[in-house]
Amino acid sequence: FSSRFKHPAGSQDPHDTFQAAADFHATGFYWIIGPNKEWFVEIKNRGYPFQGWLSTILPDTLFGATRQRGLIMDEKGELVTGPWMRAWKGWWGCLNSPEYRAVYLDYVKMYLDAGADSLQMDDPGENDAAVQWGGCYCPYCREKAARLGKSPKDIQRESTEEFYKYIRAAINASAKRHVPFSCNNHPGHKHFFDFAFDFGLEE
């Protein structure tokens, strides 16, 4: 069962997450987003396992509204995102950026502290996928590429793999157990890093 966000979200919201879960005999909450840590704790307290949502567009602070830290850029310094996200300015974070890595890890730790049983990564291609839209030429990628004697676009596949090796280890270390980690792609086989993800799905 995936409610994504908590309902009712306000006085005019006709939906009720837990009533719907009961009506459909839900056995767990998956791919859950927000609006706060207390929401995840409530899910656990009601006896449901839950899966926290991670993505290319995590806000700079937990459940915040701004995305300015460690973003993917093209050669002109313009921000890059998946074409389907341009209309709502969901700018992607750069996996070579220590700022974005810190944000990502903050979310991981928050979910695990709230009792998350598993984690889900939306659009795991990140830097590797962004090459087709001009990324990434941020300062961190330029510096890394220069150090390796390569162009920024030629380091993105290995950078993406390096990130998932790092975050897979960090997730398990933080939880002191193996945490199931899934992802979704289109098509399903693309950007599936089997050393990091336990399973995946195709959107």
Side-chain angles (χ1 to χ4, degrees), residues 2 32 36 67 72 82 93 108 118 122 140-141 144 146 155 188-189 193-194 198 202:
S2 183
I32 304 298
N36 50 46
R67 295 178 176 87
I72 290 178
V108 165
S118 59
D122 199 0
Y140 299 109
C141 286
K144 182 177 181 178
I155 66 166
H189 69 280
F193 302 100
D194 58 3
D198 296 281
E202 179 170 355

Side-chain angles (χ1 to χ4, degrees), residues 81-91:
T81 189
W84 59 94
M85 295 183 179
R86 286 177 187 153
W88 41 282
K89 298 181 179 179
W91 309 118

Side-chain angles (χ1 to χ4, degrees), residues 95-96 101 144 155-163:
L95 300 182
N96 282 318
R101 284 188 174 211
K144 182 177 181 178
I155 66 166
Q156 302 307 335
R157 178 72 181 188
E158 62 190 87
S159 292
T160 305
E161 292 178 349
E162 286 171 4
F163 172 79

Side-chain angles (χ1 to χ4, degrees), residues 57-69 103 106-107:
I57 57 169
L58 296 173
D60 295 342
T61 57
L62 295 176
F63 310 106
T66 60
R67 295 178 176 87
Q68 299 176 341
R69 297 173 59 189
V103 168
D106 283 346
Y107 274 86

